[in-house]
Amino acid sequence: MFYSQAIAALALLGLAKSHSSPGYYLPFSASTTASHGKTIGSSCACAALQHQYPDRVLVKNSTDYTEEATHYYDARQDLEPKCIFLPSCAEQIVMAVKTLKTCKSQFAVRGAGHMSYIGAANTQGGVLVALTGMKDFAFNEADNTAEAGPGHTWFDMASNLEPYGKIVIGGRLKTIGISGLTLGGGLHYFLNKYGYAMDNVAGYDVVTGNGELLRANATQNSDMFWALKGGGSNFGIVTRFIFNTYDVPRVTSTYQIFNESAVPAFIKAVVDKTNHPLDLVNPVGAGAIMLIQVNATTKAVHPEIFGLQEGAVELPDQFANFTAIPGTVKRFNITTAAAWSAQFDTPYQTQRQEFGMHSVLSNDTDAIMAMYEMYKSAVNELEDVEGVHPTFVLQEMPKSGAAVSANNCIGNTWSIDPTKSKIWWEISTQWRNPEDDLKVLSWSHNLTETMHAMNMAKGLGDDFIYQNDASEYQKPYDTIPPGNMVKLRQIRAKYDPDLVFRKLSDGGFKFD
């Protein structure tokens, strides 16, 4: 049965040869072999892929199946694919997409597996296309670009570019992958100067829903080039990213921790940092992960900042407002982007994870203080949840970062207002046991939306949702300008008329 399914699926693709007459294709009908879903469809696709690439398909109980099926930061992502396909090159992805489409099989695509909600990059009973092994890399000195396969993490990128004294604008933590972060937009320490990760992509190689491998850049398939800048997983599987690189051989880091008494000064420093104008004569890239943690058991409160600034200086002046606040930890170091990234590992399978975010204008310290007080009080509701770590995260979105895409003649799908700085805030929660899922998720959702409603009532909130930090209940594409959504749907209809990546692809945020 398994072998006959493989031959039938291959015949639909024009690849199966008759045993009696080598060189002639078997005349099978698509209507008799392929079926939509996670039963017949995925069985068909798995059989066909295993017939074509026997060394690149994992099935249950085979070696490495469990390792690949659980290669996720959030333990809630652990599902059971019918099979796992491990392509090594773009041509194999072309054939995989054609096979999945022909068999009408549900599938999911995974880069590094860092997105946090059930099914974001995995599938129950479908085919998992795992890009883990696609780690080709090349630095092009002629145009200062770096070409990279979708299996890389940002630590890989920083390490590969360190010998050249270069960096790319991408993720901030060690194990985050380049694919999901870049296609979802991408935050970096230096976004105040260089914009978002998507704004620094010079080209993509992408396999569309028709099974075509295209180069998308400013002159080739430029509509797809624009759509992939924030369009997520709706348009195809990117097999190669081409990034602009920048000369930043050394960076200066700061890591600071404060006591609860410093919260008002810390929040003011966050607001001041976000609103600090970029010096257009001598611009300096500098940014930070800023957060406040409340321990649900001990009630201890600790504001923290992890900051990075371009160049080698004794004290990073872009964080002077934080440095002036008395704290329990004050560390500064001249290092490299790779060495800094290496310190911030996010181990897989150690916890369950939930995100939820919204945006607030960055000119009201009192509003953010009110959000903190609401968060601090709400943490008391989680004191009986084992291993819980709720965190209030504040991420600066200076207007200079949005101005990059507004002025580069390319733009992106977000079209964020470049005249207003904002703070994207997030409730990030980790916990240990599945029996606490409902409680923690309800808590996170209620708190996130209550805080947002408070800001909207004050005229300070903003509806934009950043999909890489969103919860599964949130709808990022509903917050993109309507004109951009019309354009995105037109581009999707052009390159994926059968809606393969809408109807068959599990995971990621989709739009209708």
Side-chain angles (χ1 to χ4, degrees):
M1 177 65 178
F2 191 80
Y3 182 73
S4 64
Q5 285 178 324
I7 296 297
L10 290 168
L12 297 176
L13 298 165
L15 295 173
K17 295 183 179 181
S18 167
H19 291 287
S20 58
S21 304
Y24 293 91
Y25 297 119
L26 290 172
F28 285 96
S29 166
S31 62
T32 63
T33 56
S35 177
H36 179 81
K38 299 180 178 178
T39 53
I40 299 175
S42 59
S43 294
C44 165
C46 288
L49 289 170
Q50 189 165 58
H51 185 77
Q52 297 169 79
Y53 308 110
D55 296 332
R56 299 207 161 274
V57 176
L58 305 176
V59 296
K60 283 189 67 175
N61 300 319
S62 65
T63 304
D64 298 330
Y65 173 91
T66 300
E67 180 179 351
E68 288 292 341
T70 59
H71 187 75
Y72 295 93
Y73 170 58
D74 182 355
R76 294 188 299 147
Q77 283 261 35
D78 294 355
L79 303 175
E80 292 187 350
K82 182 76 172 182
C83 69
I84 301 172
F85 179 53
L86 301 167
S88 63
C89 63
E91 289 72 22
Q92 291 176 359
I93 294 181
V94 167
M95 188 52 60
V97 171
K98 290 180 178 179
T99 300
L100 295 163
K101 181 180 179 181
T102 299
C103 290
K104 299 182 181 179
S105 172
Q106 294 295 127
F107 68 95
V109 182
R110 188 198 69 213
H114 208 275
M115 186 172 278
S116 182
Y117 64 81
I118 296 174
N122 203 354
T123 173
Q124 185 67 32
V127 177
L128 172 61
V129 180
L131 306 178
T132 316
M134 295 187 65
K135 289 191 173 185
D136 56 307
F137 176 86
F139 175 64
N140 304 313
E141 294 190 50
D143 61 1
N144 282 316
T145 60
E147 300 185 19
H152 282 290
T153 65
W154 290 108
F155 175 69
D156 294 335
M157 295 298 293
S159 299
N160 288 335
L161 286 168
E162 186 173 293
Y164 303 98
K166 307 283 187 178
I167 67 163
V168 289
I169 303 302
R172 298 169 294 186
L173 302 179
K174 181 178 180 179
T175 54
I176 293 178
I178 70 172
S179 294
L181 182 133
T182 305
L183 294 172
L187 307 185
H188 186 267
Y189 293 106
F190 303 156
L191 73 85
N192 68 316
K193 179 178 177 180
Y194 300 104
Y196 301 93
M198 61 185 170
D199 299 325
N200 293 276
V201 180
Y204 309 83
D205 288 349
V206 56
V207 177
T208 69
N210 284 332
E212 296 180 88
L213 177 60
L214 304 176
R215 171 65 57 90
N217 56 33
T219 59
Q220 300 170 273
N221 302 300
S222 57
D223 51 355
M224 174 67 85
F225 182 53
W226 176 83
L228 291 172
K229 293 179 180 293
S233 60
N234 288 280
F235 297 92
I237 302 176
V238 174
T239 64
R240 182 183 303 273
F241 293 85
I242 305 173
F243 293 99
N244 294 320
T245 69
Y246 302 97
D247 292 313
V248 185
R250 306 289 277 176
V251 294
T252 303
S253 66
T254 182
Y255 173 47
Q256 304 184 44
I257 303 177
F258 310 90
N259 286 324
E260 183 174 8
S261 60
V263 168
F266 179 84
I267 289 176
K268 184 178 185 306
V270 171
V271 170
D272 290 343
K273 174 70 177 70
T274 305
N275 291 314
H276 183 72
L278 183 69
D279 185 335
L280 298 181
V281 177
N282 295 299
V284 177
I289 299 172
M290 299 166 288
L291 55 88
I292 304 176
Q293 291 188 333
V294 175
N295 188 299
T297 302
T298 67
K299 315 305 179 186
V301 177
H302 293 292
E304 300 181 29
I305 177 174
F306 307 80
L308 205 64
Q309 178 173 319
E310 281 186 301
V313 295
E314 186 175 351
L315 285 176
D317 59 291
Q318 300 296 305
F319 304 106
N321 287 353
F322 294 94
T323 305
I325 304 170
T328 58
V329 174
K330 298 278 184 175
R331 295 177 186 166
F332 308 94
N333 188 34
I334 296 173
T335 183
T336 65
W340 172 252
S341 174
Q343 301 177 69
F344 300 103
D345 199 359
T346 47
Y348 285 27
Q349 295 293 303
T350 61
Q351 59 197 0
R352 309 171 82 76
Q353 171 79 50
E354 169 67 357
F355 296 147
M357 68 81 59
H358 277 292
S359 178
V360 62
L361 294 178
S362 63
N363 59 357
D364 197 315
T365 302
D366 291 340
I368 299 173
M369 190 70 190
M371 294 167 64
Y372 157 72
E373 294 289 357
M374 186 178 293
Y375 151 75
K376 179 186 175 184
S377 176
V379 169
N380 292 324
E381 301 171 26
L382 299 178
E383 58 185 1
D384 62 340
V385 175
E386 186 176 354
V388 71
H389 295 285
T391 305
F392 180 37
V393 183
L394 299 166
Q395 304 196 105
E396 56 181 317
M397 297 300 133
K399 59 187 180 182
S400 58
V404 171
S405 62
N407 297 323
N408 67 5
C409 299
I410 298 170
N412 59 46
T413 61
W414 295 353
S415 297
I416 291 177
D417 184 354
T419 68
K420 296 179 180 178
S421 294
K422 299 173 185 178
I423 291 173
W424 290 357
W425 57 268
E426 172 189 336
I427 300 298
S428 173
T429 311
Q430 299 86 35
W431 68 103
R432 186 165 301 156
N433 300 319
E435 53 265 32
D436 292 319
D437 284 3
L438 182 59
K439 178 174 183 175
V440 175
L441 293 175
S442 297
W443 176 88
S444 177
H445 299 178
N446 290 337
L447 177 61
T448 299
E449 296 310 317
T450 300
M451 291 167 70
H452 179 55
M454 177 178 68
N455 290 332
M456 293 296 285
K458 295 176 181 178
L460 299 172
D462 183 273
D463 283 328
F464 180 79
I465 298 292
Y466 171 49
Q467 64 176 281
N468 289 357
D469 286 342
S471 172
E472 57 263 44
Y473 75 89
Q474 297 183 305
K475 298 180 179 180
Y477 289 103
D478 287 356
T479 69
I480 286 178
N484 286 7
M485 287 308 306
V486 170
K487 187 176 177 181
L488 285 170
R489 291 187 178 96
Q490 291 171 342
I491 295 168
R492 182 178 64 181
K494 176 181 176 181
Y495 292 100
D496 188 9
D498 296 321
L499 299 180
V500 169
F501 285 93
R502 175 68 181 88
K503 295 180 178 180
L504 297 182
S505 176
D506 295 331
F509 290 100
K510 307 294 184 182
F511 59 83
D512 295 327

